[in-house]
Amino acid sequence: MASLGIPANTIAVLQKHGFQFQKKYGQNFLIDTHVLDKIIIESEITADDCVLEIGPGIGTMTQYLAETAGRVICVEIDDHLIPILKETLADYDNVTIIHGDILKTDVNDLCATYNDNKPLKVVANLPYYITTPIIMGLFESHVPLSSITIMVQKEVADRMQEGPGSKDYGALSLAVQYYAKPEIVANVPPNCFMPRPNVGSAVIRLSRYEKPPVEVQDEKKMFALIRAAFNQRRKTLVNAISNAGIYGITKDDVQAALEKLGLSPTIRGEALSLSQFAKLSDEIVHQK
Ligand code: SAM
């Protein structure tokens, strides 16, 4: 099968199957060989790796992955793409195509079945409408993985790298930075896709930490506090957390914890670092 990274080959496959792009599935297929090569290099895949690809589309990046990795598991939601994938990936015996919704797929189970519970590498040109739930789902379900190399909206990639004081700093930045080291490895303009998205894109590599950079007694509670803080980011931390009605935490609880940490009672969540959120969470765990 000819390389789908070449636009004429992609067009021929789409025409042969009468494929109609589905906007609801965030379908923007890659048609740039340089970008595809760059993703393969930056994901640092070797023949020992088992790669999970989310949303293979017509199998363009899957072909590149199959040439480099030991095994590729791809999960695609759109029924119309399954027969196309079977055809475009027919030459590869190391690819498994799974028809399903990644948000409803038990990735721990896939890892056990196809990789003996050894860490997977995730590589994907993500459907942008569900970028955050996909990333959070992978981290929070503690799937064994060594890295996630993904194409996302440029603005979202920036958000993952930000720290306190930036307007883009938020719950996603903190979650990503708790689990992984983020690094933007390429900026990708709209003309590298078919159809063209109306936003810029970036490839970001998230290298999973073996141990998070901060210690916290109750990870779940810390993330509940973080979500509450940024759901009402213009409010003080005291108000944002107590308004959220989580774990019975009151204004007094938050005020007491802030005082213990030597932080202002009027501080906002956007001013706290990951390590300060961890300490705040530990203080509140002690009170409850
Ligand atoms: N990997 C292909 C490429 O680079 O050309 C396609 C990328 S396209 C941005 C996103 C792909 O994810 C589409 O094929 C879309 O159908 C698929 N998709 C969307 N939502 C999904 C979901 N919930 N689970 C699995 N795949 C999904």
Side-chain angles (χ1 to χ4, degrees):
M1 167 51 73
S3 168
L4 296 168
I6 294 161
N9 295 341
T10 286
I11 292 168
V13 168
L14 296 176
Q15 281 180 347
K16 177 177 170 201
H17 291 268
F19 181 77
Q20 305 282 334
F21 286 99
Q22 301 245 37
K23 233 182 161 174
K24 68 171 178 183
Y25 289 145
Q27 292 175 340
N28 300 98
F29 297 165
L30 266 170
I31 46 158
D32 187 294
T33 54
H34 299 291
V35 174
L36 287 154
D37 285 335
K38 178 82 177 157
I39 294 173
I40 299 301
I41 292 166
E42 295 296 346
S43 53
E44 296 168 352
I45 294 165
T46 69
D48 292 333
D49 286 316
C50 176
V51 173
L52 168 65
E53 187 193 8
I54 298 163
I58 59 168
T60 311
M61 193 154 71
T62 326
Q63 291 183 335
Y64 283 70
L65 293 168
E67 297 279 349
T68 325
R71 172 158 278 287
V72 183
I73 316 296
C74 53
V75 180
E76 173 56 59
I77 197 168
D78 186 350
D79 352 332
H80 299 101
L81 288 169
I82 303 303
I84 302 182
L85 285 166
K86 285 190 177 148
E87 194 177 296
T88 58
L89 301 172
D91 291 347
Y92 301 99
D93 59 6
N94 60 344
V95 176
T96 304
I97 303 164
I98 295 174
H99 181 202
D101 178 345
I102 191 64
L103 296 178
K104 295 186 185 143
T105 303
D106 184 340
V107 181
N108 274 303
D109 195 40
L110 290 185
C111 186
T113 309
Y114 295 103
N115 206 32
D116 290 333
N117 279 322
K118 291 192 301 265
L120 296 168
K121 283 188 176 157
V122 176
V123 183
N125 169 16
L126 286 184
Y128 294 171
Y129 73 108
I130 43 169
T131 301
T132 302
I134 290 176
I135 298 172
M136 295 311 296
L138 289 170
F139 284 143
E140 286 175 354
S141 57
H142 292 275
V143 175
L145 45 91
S146 50
S147 65
I148 304 180
T149 307
I150 40 176
M151 178 86 70
V152 297
Q153 212 175 308
K154 167 80 173 107
E155 194 191 308
V156 176
D158 288 339
R159 229 183 288 155
M160 291 188 214
Q161 286 196 322
E162 286 302 347
S166 150
K167 68 170 177 31
D168 291 330
Y169 178 59
L172 181 65
S173 331
L174 284 155
V176 163
Q177 292 164 29
Y178 178 74
Y179 293 108
K181 178 169 160 270
E183 206 176 336
I184 293 179
V185 293
N187 286 314
V188 183
N191 62 4
C192 296
F193 302 87
M194 185 189 293
R196 294 179 184 196
N198 42 24
V199 291
S201 302
V203 179
I204 188 163
R205 184 180 55 226
L206 310 175
S207 309
R208 184 86 155 90
Y209 292 127
E210 283 190 14
K211 206 167 138 266
V214 301
E215 274 185 34
V216 64
Q217 291 173 36
D218 187 334
E219 197 177 290
K220 230 173 121 193
K221 194 169 268 182
M222 176 178 76
F223 282 114
L225 294 179
I226 289 173
R227 272 194 291 272
F230 288 99
N231 271 344
Q232 297 192 306
R233 66 181 292 147
R234 304 311 301 159
K235 292 219 153 80
T236 64
L237 197 61
V238 170
N239 285 334
I241 293 179
S242 56
N243 286 350
I246 42 168
Y247 300 104
I249 301 169
T250 65
K251 270 188 181 180
D252 287 348
D253 296 330
V254 188
Q255 260 158 1
L258 287 175
E259 196 178 326
K260 199 89 188 268
L261 300 178
L263 293 170
S264 156
T266 59
I267 200 165
R268 290 192 185 135
E270 61 197 15
L272 262 65
S273 66
L274 175 59
S275 103
Q276 286 171 318
F277 268 113
K279 288 187 186 127
L280 182 80
S281 170
D282 284 353
E283 272 307 320
I284 294 178
V285 167
H286 280 307
Q287 292 168 2
K288 292 281 136 189

